[in-house]
Amino acid sequence: MIQINPQSNNNSSIETVCHFGPQGGLFGILTTPDDACAVKDAPIALILNAGIVHRVGPFRLHVDLARQLADAGYSTLRLDLSGLGDSAQRTGKIETPNRAELDVRDAMDYLQNETGVDRFVIIGLCSGAYNAHQVSVKDDRIVGSVFMDGIVFRTLGFFVRHKIGRLLRPRFWRNAIKRRLMGENAPGSETAGESLAEGEFFGEDLDKDDVVRDLESLMKRGVRMLFLYTDGYDDICGRSQFKEMYGLLPDEGQLQVEYYPKSEHTFRIIENRQAACGRVTSWMTGQFGS
Amino acid sequence: MKHFFFGKPESQLFGVHHRPRGIAKKPTRAVLICPPIGQEYIRTHWCLRLMANQLCRNGAHVLRMDYSGMGDSAGCLQDMRSLERWTEDLLTGIERLKELSGAGTVMLVGLRMGAMLAAQAAGRSNDVNSLVLWEPVEDGESYLKELRAMHRRMLDLWVCKMTTPNDDQVEEILGSRYSRSLIESISESKNDFSKIVQPQLIVVPKQPVVNFVHPVSGIQKVVLVDEEYNWNDLRSLETAWLRSQTAREIVGFSKQMFERLDQRKALAAPALVPDAVSDSRSDQDASPSVGVTA
């Protein structure tokens, strides 16, 4: 294995190339903290692809997050799911409709073998959050999950706050007129990127009751959860929608929810990206500190 | 594919080596892919991976790499002070590819800003046998102007009034924060492809703004492709950039260039072969996208 010491880190972390899965065809980069600052017995975080962007993440989000977590003492594997980035496709008969479940299982098996760690935190944005949900439910080794703009359902409150509320905002009309003049989408419609995010990557047969049952089972298992939502994600408006959707009340402990009203879905603005990375890092420290 | 880190221990670069299967062609053919920078790097990753696979199937060793402060390589973009650093990265990549493949010289395939960097690296290395310059950035100032216009438009359409850092230290453009000195370095950069001594294939959309001319007959070939694209459309900022037809054409042309270079014994050792490109012209006349200015 060849290692790397990123200059950008305050602490000296190490990055290692990892191959795992069938014929070693899956690929990821493991970022580990310097021994001096490593948190003892901490779980390893896995960051899944967002859409079809390779493992570095949108605007390099995953690299920033992995290195920040390493500075805080946590190891992270940012991986390419099969058929994405630099990972090979899975061939042959696949026992589940969601190959991400197999890929993440292979990644955890590999890490468990190599490091002895058998507890994991899974992190995903958009389709990555959807996959993180599916995997978290099925594998007891997962003790924490970070869902960034993950599964949501529109509620009555959403329509009031989003659909009606924004009509009262002068900036909405200003932007809508500008977009129309520029020949872009009609007012209120999604941009090409946003419509892709939902339609292409999420299962279409999601049932809210099933998701609620999944979340309750994760709660019972003691899985620590952090839900991050942005205003740029078109189906959610405000932190209060979480309770409306799932009937669960967020707290400052096992079930934490954050809403960023000024952020776009993929954290295009660095200030927003830093806020999200900082939030995930402080959550890790709070939930899995030494 | 083999993934690895290489270069200086304190600032390592990430690379992917595509090694051809079966009996390697002799002399060895090797291609270094020079990606774009910023958000264009992310958008073009898949397309360049597919092209690397195709080049590899044609018998060439291919190295894809990330520049310092980008992708999986060490460092962050804000710490980069000039384009020189990335040119140095390419020179390191050339050396690594020669070691991996056993080739004496390599072909550089650069896309957008990667083409500008490839041209600069070619001017400083005796180990570059030829270049493919795909939709090259020729003028750094114009390039920045276009990126800034798109960035301003993005902020203008934001859900709330939003500003990003832009002072004497840093400037944020489309999700990347550049040091002022790097911005100045990009701004001052200008490519004059007529000064490149190696055979060069320039791939541009139909009706390019610039007319390419080279003083040496037959050293430069310009290919006009059908797949036109507006890099400055904000709606496409996060969509994958796929140009399968053009990539296939480039793979075909590169194969012909390798054959011509091989005929002139220019693959094993550095050499200037002015007619390496033009000799293959007759083979390509049937192509709908051939244009020659030499």
Side-chain angles (χ1 to χ4, degrees):
Chain A
M1 288 186 183
I2 301 167
Q3 298 179 328
I4 181 174
N5 298 303
Q7 283 182 317
S8 61
N9 293 357
N10 296 326
N11 298 313
S12 175
S13 60
I14 297 166
E15 299 208 316
T16 311
V17 164
C18 301
H19 291 102
F20 50 93
Q23 288 87 50
L26 300 180
F27 170 70
I29 291 182
L30 179 66
T31 308
T32 48
D34 184 70
D35 285 344
C37 75
V39 175
K40 197 166 178 285
D41 299 326
I44 296 176
L46 290 90
I47 308 180
L48 310 186
N49 299 96
I52 57 168
V53 180
H54 68 298
R55 66 202 162 273
V56 305
F59 302 95
R60 218 185 181 207
L61 170 71
H62 299 174
V63 176
D64 291 345
L65 181 56
R67 292 179 182 174
Q68 195 165 327
L69 285 170
D71 285 348
Y74 300 93
S75 295
T76 303
L77 178 73
R78 56 180 187 272
L79 67 146
D80 283 327
L81 299 174
S82 51
L84 294 177
D86 286 312
S87 284
Q89 285 190 329
R90 278 185 184 272
T91 52
K93 194 179 175 188
I94 297 174
E95 67 216 51
T96 166
N98 188 352
R99 73 190 192 291
E101 294 170 21
L102 302 175
D103 299 341
V104 176
R105 192 176 69 197
D106 286 342
M108 290 191 292
D109 289 347
Y110 166 82
L111 290 171
Q112 195 168 345
N113 239 7
E114 292 286 318
T115 67
V117 175
D118 61 357
R119 298 193 310 148
F120 300 94
V121 169
I122 196 151
I123 301 171
L125 166 70
C126 192
S127 67
Y130 171 80
N131 287 328
H133 175 95
Q134 305 293 339
V135 175
S136 297
V137 172
K138 292 186 179 165
D139 201 310
D140 289 348
R141 289 176 292 181
I142 293 170
V143 295
S145 303
V146 178
F147 308 107
M148 304 161 84
D149 276 348
I151 300 167
V152 290
F153 298 93
R154 294 185 178 190
T155 61
L156 182 61
F158 167 81
F159 282 101
V160 172
R161 289 186 301 274
H162 188 66
K163 295 293 182 191
I164 299 175
R166 72 179 181 177
L167 295 180
L168 302 174
R169 290 206 305 258
R171 195 168 177 92
F172 167 75
W173 290 105
R174 169 193 173 276
N175 287 357
I177 291 166
K178 283 202 166 195
R179 283 183 197 277
R180 178 62 66 89
L181 290 173
M182 289 170 179
E184 288 191 7
N185 312 57
S189 68
E190 294 171 323
T191 65
E194 285 163 347
S195 58
L196 255 182
E198 189 176 5
E200 291 292 314
F201 302 117
F202 284 0
E204 290 178 357
D205 54 350
L206 276 176
D207 183 276
K208 193 167 87 173
D209 293 337
D210 289 340
V211 176
V212 171
R213 269 192 294 277
D214 289 345
L215 294 180
E216 285 172 348
S217 78
L218 292 174
M219 293 288 285
K220 275 185 196 160
R221 240 175 61 202
V223 175
R224 324 303 288 179
M225 286 178 276
L226 172 63
F227 294 80
L228 298 184
Y229 295 107
T230 65
D231 185 81
Y233 198 40
D234 209 37
D235 288 331
I236 186 162
C237 186
R239 187 171 179 268
S240 56
Q241 189 171 331
F242 188 83
K243 185 171 183 304
E244 293 166 4
M245 290 187 293
Y246 301 127
L248 298 168
L249 194 62
D251 54 26
E252 296 305 312
Q254 187 184 1
L255 185 66
Q256 298 185 23
V257 178
E258 195 77 59
Y259 183 79
Y260 295 108
K262 294 181 181 177
S263 182
E264 198 273 339
H265 178 49
T266 49
F267 302 100
R268 286 179 181 180
I269 304 267
I270 291 180
E271 180 187 325
N272 295 333
R273 199 150 73 233
Q274 287 172 337
C277 289
R279 183 69 174 88
V280 174
T281 305
S282 64
W283 174 83
M284 276 290 280
T285 307
Q287 301 296 319
F288 305 103
S290 52
Chain B
M1 280 191 289
K2 184 186 173 192
H3 310 81
F4 55 94
F5 291 108
F6 65 102
K8 295 176 187 166
E10 70 277 10
S11 57
Q12 295 222 290
L13 302 164
F14 176 75
V16 184
H17 177 213
H18 298 248
R19 187 186 182 87
R21 287 184 181 177
I23 301 165
K25 288 185 187 297
K26 295 287 179 185
T28 307
R29 299 173 177 185
V31 179
L32 176 65
I33 294 192
C34 316
I37 62 169
Q39 178 61 3
E40 289 179 2
Y41 153 80
I42 291 177
R43 295 176 54 199
T44 57
H45 181 271
W46 184 249
C47 181
L48 293 178
R49 179 196 161 171
L50 294 181
M51 189 169 73
N53 285 343
Q54 291 175 33
L55 287 163
C56 189
R57 277 200 293 273
N58 273 335
H61 287 259
V62 184
L63 177 62
R64 287 186 288 127
M65 61 179 283
D66 293 343
Y67 306 114
S68 297
M70 254 180 280
D72 290 306
S73 287
C76 69
L77 184 58
Q78 195 174 324
D79 294 334
M80 302 302 122
R81 299 290 170 220
S82 76
L83 287 179
E84 170 71 13
R85 173 71 176 269
W86 293 333
T87 306
E88 292 283 345
D89 289 345
L90 290 182
L91 295 173
T92 306
I94 290 168
E95 286 306 309
R96 188 74 179 114
L97 179 55
K98 283 169 60 191
E99 289 167 18
L100 289 165
S101 64
T105 59
V106 307
M107 175 187 289
L108 303 183
V109 176
L111 175 60
R112 296 285 285 162
M113 184 53 85
M116 178 180 269
L117 295 168
Q120 290 178 2
R124 291 176 46 187
S125 173
N126 292 324
D127 298 328
V128 176
N129 56 42
S130 56
L131 296 102
V132 174
L133 306 166
W134 190 359
E135 300 203 22
V137 171
E138 296 156 67
D139 174 10
E141 183 64 44
S142 304
Y143 174 71
L144 280 176
K145 196 175 164 187
E146 289 165 353
L147 292 185
R148 283 173 172 143
M150 198 160 35
H151 182 72
R152 277 196 303 273
R153 192 171 168 210
M154 180 183 81
L155 292 183
D156 188 41
L157 294 172
W158 210 257
V159 65
C160 57
K161 195 170 182 183
M162 180 68 87
T163 57
T164 52
N166 183 7
D167 53 35
D168 58 348
Q169 297 295 312
V170 293
E171 181 175 352
E172 184 172 328
I173 308 174
L174 296 174
S176 298
R177 201 169 281 178
Y178 301 83
S179 68
R180 183 56 57 199
S181 58
L182 177 58
I183 287 283
E184 285 166 4
S185 173
I186 294 173
S187 178
E188 289 163 4
S189 62
K190 221 178 236 308
N191 257 345
D192 182 355
F193 299 130
S194 66
K195 290 183 178 163
I196 301 173
V197 296
Q198 293 94 337
Q200 56 196 264
L201 180 74
I202 300 177
V203 182
V204 286
K206 280 184 174 169
Q207 298 173 334
V209 180
V210 179
N211 284 322
F212 297 95
V213 182
H214 200 286
V216 180
S217 174
I219 203 168
Q220 186 183 76
K221 181 181 182 67
V222 178
V223 176
L224 304 179
V225 291
D226 281 331
E227 295 178 303
E228 283 189 61
Y229 182 74
N230 178 9
W231 287 95
N232 305 311
D233 185 346
L234 187 59
R235 290 168 297 182
S236 306
L237 183 65
E238 294 185 56
T239 54
W241 186 82
L242 295 170
R243 290 296 173 273
S244 50
Q245 184 189 328
T246 305
R248 274 197 300 275
E249 285 182 35
I250 289 173
V251 171
F253 280 118
S254 67
K255 188 178 176 187
Q256 291 164 359
M257 285 169 75
F258 271 129
E259 284 164 2
R260 299 298 171 188
L261 289 162
D262 190 15
Q263 285 170 10
R264 285 151 185 80
K265 313 291 181 203
L267 289 181
L272 174 61
V273 189
D275 56 350
V277 178
S278 61
D279 278 6
S280 62
R281 205 176 302 165
S282 58
D283 301 329
Q284 297 146 12
D285 283 347
S287 165
S289 54
V290 172
V292 179
T293 55

